[in-house]
Amino acid sequence: MLKDALSDASRIVELAIKTALRPDGTAIPDAMMYAVKGGKTLRGFLVLEGAKLHHVDPNVAAPIAGAIEAIHAYSLVHDDLPCMDDDALRRGQPTVHRKWDEATAVLAGDALQALGFELIMYADVPDRQKIVLLHMLTLDAGARGMVGGQAMDIAAETAGTQLTLEQIEALQAKKTGALIEWAAAAGPRMTVDADEMPMRVYGRALGRAFQIADDILDVEGDAATVGKAVRKDASAGKATFVSLLGLDAAKRRAETLVEAACDALSPYGNDAETLRDAARYVITRDK
Amino acid sequence: MLKDALSDASRIVELAIKTALRPDGTAIPDAMMYAVKGGKTLRGFLVLEGAKLHHVDPNVAAPIAGAIEAIHAYSLVHDDLPCMDDDALRRGQPTVHRKWDEATAVLAGDALQALGFELIMYADVPDRQKIVLLHMLTLDAGARGMVGGQAMDIAAETAGTQLTLEQIEALQAKKTGALIEWAAAAGPRMTVDADEMPMRVYGRALGRAFQIADDILDVEGDAATVGKAVRKDASAGKATFVSLLGLDAAKRRAETLVEAACDALSPYGNDAETLRDAARYVITRDK
């Protein structure tokens, strides 16, 4: 059920993005599509599932799901650059700057960001709803969101500072949490007068659980399965949820967050079962 | 008059951007502000002047002027990166990656792009107008616009291909022309039912003249005055308007375009005199 929903989301997201791209004789559209493919499509799935709960047509939600995955892909392509995390592998494939070159990776990321905002324009929702979706996304993607989180991360690493648990929470909330929360809240936001709080609370808890699970995967995971380098945090001497809490306590915290995420969905009753499965999957996944 | 209008535009744009930034303990907000400062603010000026002609309050137009300058600044910061044009000097100052580092330049550029789209949300114009402004800007900034033009430029340089005049026109229309045309059309687009054609035609001709003038500056200009490296095109063996047309014919073409730009403003009569001055300035400027 969840597996089907995630693979449906991948298909829908790829189609939404492909439809908006135009071949132009350069590598950019190919690199953009390459960067989008092969992920879990968790964010796109959250958009589509939230839309379904609020009786929004999947065709209406599709560009919004494409938008968040385009923004997510842009952040991965730029974070992988040699001047940032310098990663060779992403989703089990060479990173964009390894497959093409750095200029292509910078430009494909730039174009994916613009495309993310562009795709929101294509959704058949009221203008006010578009503007709310877009405004939140610009905040989450910009200096106060994703970019700010990544900059804080790099600054701490450069300074050789060990972050506290509170600082890591704040940093991850910007870097990873904001987009996941946005994706979860997007469904109710597409409709007029819907209460977005249950999905926001779900998304926020899910985002926090997701990041703890990422830290656990970095310790317990296998690079071939995870699809990217592991043991990076420990070898860089970076403070993580695992290094600060210990493995068992980190797992318990993630489980508690998943329970909170599931509880937040109670207004939806059984209709939200796939979203609950997604929350449980987030901390049991092996990639 | 034009000089005052340009320096007013700088002040207004810097304030609009400064207001939207928040210190976060990283270098990113500073690097963003640094990247915005010290330019000609031609695009911001076009927005403000177009707004004035359509009786839009300057306070309403200010965030839109800030938006286009943020997008323009982002493109300069990324184009200057070592993996792109590898420039050390911009507007007479060290480029962002020289003053800070490459990661800061990538992130500051990314955040400036998000900020550009964000700022449009702050303008007190009808929702439909915001969406039109934003949608055009995402297209102009993305793979079909600025990014596509830059990618075509790099692809031609990597392949050692000499572009034809037609190809250069197409490339520059995306790389430089689109944002200038957008800025010129933004004033009428802020209002309901205004005819944006005169300003669009003006902006398109101005953008073409601007790029020819840039090629001429690369040949005739002085690096200290221009504020960036010159003779780059010739030393890279790149085809330009000057190399293909010759210096005199390039100047004549730029003059013809400026005349066309000024003619397009006839519906505005004498009210458009500052915009006509701007068109004449574009081909006589020394930086």
Side-chain angles (χ1 to χ4, degrees):
Chain A
M1 191 71 177
L2 172 66
K3 207 181 146 200
D4 292 345
L6 285 169
S7 79
D8 281 355
S10 290
R11 200 177 33 77
I12 291 167
V13 160
E14 285 173 25
L15 184 64
I17 289 174
K18 202 181 174 127
T19 308
L21 293 177
R22 300 274 177 283
D24 65 355
T26 77
I28 304 301
D30 289 344
M32 291 167 75
M33 205 64 229
Y34 177 86
V36 167
K37 283 185 173 178
K40 293 180 282 291
T41 330
L42 175 68
R43 293 156 191 78
F45 155 81
L46 292 173
V47 171
L48 293 166
E49 204 64 26
K52 197 165 135 191
L53 283 178
H54 287 269
H55 313 291
V56 174
D57 187 313
N59 291 318
V60 172
I64 309 287
I68 193 70
E69 291 289 339
I71 297 283
H72 177 52
Y74 126 66
S75 77
L76 299 181
V77 172
H78 281 190
D79 284 358
D80 287 341
L81 283 169
C83 67
M84 304 263 251
D85 298 345
D86 195 13
D87 275 307
L89 207 63
R90 169 69 70 180
R91 297 169 172 174
Q93 301 288 328
T95 46
V96 172
H97 67 272
R98 289 289 184 107
K99 190 168 166 78
W100 284 274
D101 52 40
E102 279 182 58
T104 302
V106 171
L107 291 172
D110 288 346
L112 279 165
Q113 180 170 198
L115 181 66
F117 299 126
E118 179 192 334
L119 280 167
I120 293 183
M121 302 300 115
Y122 297 136
D124 187 17
V125 298
D127 286 352
R128 182 88 311 237
Q129 263 50 51
K130 266 185 210 181
I131 285 173
V132 170
L133 284 161
L134 192 100
H135 189 196
M136 296 308 301
L137 190 55
T138 59
L139 290 173
D140 292 344
R144 275 169 277 174
M146 247 162 47
V147 169
Q150 175 71 0
M152 285 162 69
D153 204 358
I154 291 176
E157 204 167 338
T158 308
T161 318
Q162 290 277 323
L163 297 177
T164 65
L165 199 61
E166 207 173 23
Q167 288 171 321
I168 292 177
E169 288 260 12
L171 183 159
Q172 294 298 352
K174 289 174 166 229
K175 232 183 117 165
T176 312
L179 285 204
I180 291 178
E181 189 177 326
W182 185 96
R189 271 187 198 145
M190 274 182 247
T191 66
V192 182
D193 293 333
D195 180 6
E196 68 177 50
M197 278 316 286
M199 286 298 282
R200 278 179 74 94
V201 174
Y202 164 82
R204 192 170 305 169
L206 185 72
R208 292 173 67 197
F210 185 91
Q211 192 52 50
I212 297 175
D214 244 23
D215 285 356
I216 295 171
L217 266 180
D218 188 66
V219 174
E220 292 193 326
D222 165 59
T225 311
V226 178
K228 62 182 177 184
V230 292
R231 321 278 182 276
K232 285 193 70 175
D233 297 335
S235 67
K238 262 172 89 166
T240 69
F241 289 106
V242 174
S243 76
L244 290 170
L245 292 171
L247 196 53
D248 287 346
K251 285 181 180 178
R252 277 196 305 275
R253 182 186 278 235
E255 281 160 19
T256 307
L257 286 164
V258 166
E259 279 166 35
C262 292
D263 288 349
L265 298 173
S266 60
Y268 299 111
N270 287 336
D271 291 346
E273 210 43 56
T274 313
L275 284 172
R276 290 191 194 92
D277 287 344
R280 292 185 276 261
Y281 157 75
V282 153
I283 58 164
T284 52
R285 68 199 159 97
D286 59 3
K287 64 176 181 178
Chain B
M1 192 70 178
L2 172 65
K3 209 182 144 197
D4 292 344
L6 285 170
S7 77
D8 282 354
S10 290
R11 199 176 34 76
I12 291 167
V13 161
E14 284 173 25
L15 184 64
I17 289 174
K18 201 181 176 127
T19 307
L21 293 177
R22 300 274 176 284
D24 65 355
T26 77
I28 305 301
D30 289 344
M32 291 167 75
M33 205 64 229
Y34 177 86
V36 167
K37 283 185 172 178
K40 293 179 284 291
T41 330
L42 175 68
R43 292 155 191 80
F45 155 81
L46 292 173
V47 171
L48 294 166
E49 205 63 26
K52 198 166 135 191
L53 283 178
H54 287 268
H55 314 291
V56 174
D57 188 315
N59 292 318
V60 172
I64 310 286
I68 192 73
E69 291 290 341
I71 297 283
H72 177 52
Y74 126 66
S75 78
L76 298 180
V77 172
H78 281 189
D79 283 359
D80 287 341
L81 283 169
C83 67
M84 305 263 249
D85 298 344
D86 195 13
D87 275 306
L89 207 64
R90 167 71 67 182
R91 297 169 172 175
Q93 301 289 328
T95 46
V96 173
H97 66 272
R98 288 291 185 107
K99 191 169 167 77
W100 285 274
D101 51 40
E102 279 183 57
T104 303
V106 171
L107 290 172
D110 288 346
L112 279 165
Q113 180 170 199
L115 181 66
F117 298 126
E118 180 192 334
L119 280 167
I120 293 182
M121 302 301 116
Y122 298 136
D124 186 19
V125 298
D127 286 352
R128 181 89 311 238
Q129 263 50 51
K130 266 184 211 181
I131 286 173
V132 170
L133 284 161
L134 193 101
H135 188 196
M136 295 309 302
L137 190 54
T138 59
L139 290 173
D140 292 345
R144 276 168 278 174
M146 248 162 48
V147 168
Q150 175 71 0
M152 284 163 69
D153 204 358
I154 291 176
E157 204 166 338
T158 309
T161 318
Q162 290 278 322
L163 297 176
T164 64
L165 198 61
E166 207 174 21
Q167 288 170 320
I168 292 176
E169 289 259 12
L171 183 160
Q172 295 298 353
K174 289 174 167 230
K175 233 184 115 164
T176 311
L179 286 204
I180 292 179
E181 188 176 326
W182 185 95
R189 270 185 198 147
M190 274 181 247
T191 67
V192 182
D193 293 333
D195 180 8
E196 67 178 50
M197 277 316 285
M199 286 298 283
R200 278 179 73 94
V201 173
Y202 165 82
R204 193 171 304 169
L206 186 71
R208 292 172 68 197
F210 185 90
Q211 192 52 49
I212 297 174
D214 243 22
D215 285 356
I216 294 170
L217 267 180
D218 188 66
V219 173
E220 291 193 327
D222 165 58
T225 311
V226 177
K228 62 181 177 183
V230 292
R231 320 281 180 271
K232 285 194 70 176
D233 297 336
S235 68
K238 261 172 91 167
T240 69
F241 289 106
V242 174
S243 76
L244 290 170
L245 293 169
L247 196 54
D248 287 346
K251 285 182 179 177
R252 277 197 304 276
R253 182 186 279 234
E255 282 160 18
T256 306
L257 285 164
V258 166
E259 280 167 35
C262 292
D263 288 350
L265 299 173
S266 59
Y268 299 111
N270 288 335
D271 292 345
E273 209 44 54
T274 313
L275 284 171
R276 290 192 194 92
D277 286 344
R280 290 184 278 260
Y281 157 75
V282 153
I283 59 164
T284 52
R285 68 198 159 97
D286 60 3
K287 63 176 180 179

